[in-house]
Amino acid sequence: MNIISDIYQINTGDNLLVSTESFLGDAIQEFQKCKWNHSAKFLWLHDKLYIVEAEKRGECITPFEYYTSNPAKYQLCIQKQRITQTPLQVERWIHYALEKCGKSTYGYTNLLIAQPVKYLFGAWIGAKSLEKVENRGFICGQLVAYLDHLTYGWYPNNEWIPIAPVDLYKSGHYENFIWKP
């Protein structure tokens, strides 16, 4: 896998995949059979790099340095889009994400029930519409996939709903790079 070592190689709209060792992270990795257990989307604001993510605080914005400041805890993969975003496409997902940040809950039901059922039995039993996901809260892979759907239309018919970090990692939409500063 190729390496990215300079923060300025990362663009707004690129994705972040995270591997961390914790009880929940290990469980996600075990179900998905993949080392990546968290995902987020990059956003440059005022010359500082942030990530838009769904985590226990709900949808939120976190400085990228939160993940880079502890390389022993976090292994990082940068996903570069294989196609260029237009300014209108970028504006569409940023507007949606910023409007929701700090005003939503986390999708614990999807994470703790629907995702394990998906990987154990191959069936999605979680929310099946944007409205229900928004009411119940996004999980990380859903949020990244939905923002990419707003940008590119990649996931018609709500195909973004069951997406997890492993699905983003295996997707042909991105080129994967290991972060090594």
Side-chain angles (χ1 to χ4, degrees), residues 4-10 179-181:
I4 286 183
S5 57
D6 182 356
I7 196 169
Y8 295 103
Q9 293 175 282
I10 301 170
W179 170 255
K180 294 228 186 215

Side-chain angles (χ1 to χ4, degrees), residues 37-98:
N37 56 299
H38 184 61
S39 57
K41 192 158 260 325
F42 284 105
L43 174 63
W44 280 98
L45 287 172
H46 306 291
D47 296 324
K48 186 166 179 166
L49 189 58
Y50 295 89
I51 59 167
V52 176
E53 63 183 333
E55 55 105 64
K56 64 186 173 192
R57 298 176 289 162
E59 290 175 52
C60 55
I61 297 175
T62 305
F64 181 49
E65 64 195 30
Y66 173 82
Y67 288 99
T68 60
S69 65
N70 193 345
K73 183 174 181 181
Y74 301 112
Q75 294 177 34
L76 308 175
C77 174
I78 311 301
Q79 291 193 295
K80 307 281 294 166
Q81 309 294 339
R82 293 190 184 271
I83 61 176
T84 304
Q85 302 173 71
T86 68
L88 182 60
Q89 288 171 319
V90 173
E91 185 179 316
R92 186 179 307 136
W93 80 257
I94 290 174
H95 177 75
Y96 178 85
L98 293 181

Side-chain angles (χ1 to χ4, degrees), residues 20-168:
T20 185
E21 292 185 23
S22 65
F23 176 77
L24 184 57
D26 291 346
I28 292 168
Q29 291 170 358
E30 180 63 30
F31 279 114
Q32 294 181 12
K33 305 295 185 225
C34 181
K35 78 182 279 179
W36 308 111
N37 56 299
H38 184 61
S39 57
K41 192 158 260 325
F42 284 105
L43 174 63
W44 280 98
L45 287 172
H46 306 291
D47 296 324
K48 186 166 179 166
L49 189 58
Y50 295 89
I51 59 167
V52 176
E53 63 183 333
E55 55 105 64
K56 64 186 173 192
R57 298 176 289 162
E59 290 175 52
C60 55
I61 297 175
T62 305
F64 181 49
E65 64 195 30
Y66 173 82
Y67 288 99
T68 60
S69 65
N70 193 345
K73 183 174 181 181
Y74 301 112
Q75 294 177 34
L76 308 175
C77 174
I78 311 301
Q79 291 193 295
K80 307 281 294 166
Q81 309 294 339
R82 293 190 184 271
I83 61 176
T84 304
Q85 302 173 71
T86 68
L88 182 60
Q89 288 171 319
V90 173
E91 185 179 316
R92 186 179 307 136
W93 80 257
I94 290 174
H95 177 75
Y96 178 85
L98 293 181
E99 182 180 281
K100 301 293 182 185
C101 283
K103 300 176 187 169
S104 63
T105 59
Y106 186 67
Y108 286 105
T109 302
N110 277 340
L111 178 68
L112 300 175
I113 298 171
Q115 286 287 334
V117 168
K118 172 187 168 185
Y119 289 102
L120 289 172
F121 304 106
W124 181 251
I125 63 167
K128 295 184 174 35
S129 70
L130 173 61
E131 180 181 29
K132 287 188 179 178
V133 171
E134 286 181 326
N135 288 338
R136 295 177 186 172
F138 280 91
I139 58 175
C140 64
Q142 285 178 322
L143 179 61
V144 170
Y146 182 67
L147 296 176
D148 279 343
H149 174 69
L150 284 177
T151 306
Y152 306 109
W154 283 343
Y155 305 103
N157 304 315
N158 293 326
E159 293 170 9
W160 56 269
I161 292 175
I163 288 186
V166 64
D167 303 310
L168 296 168

Side-chain angles (χ1 to χ4, degrees), residues 8-21:
Y8 295 103
Q9 293 175 282
I10 301 170
N11 299 316
T12 289
D14 289 343
N15 296 342
L16 173 67
L17 297 177
V18 180
S19 177
T20 185
E21 292 185 23

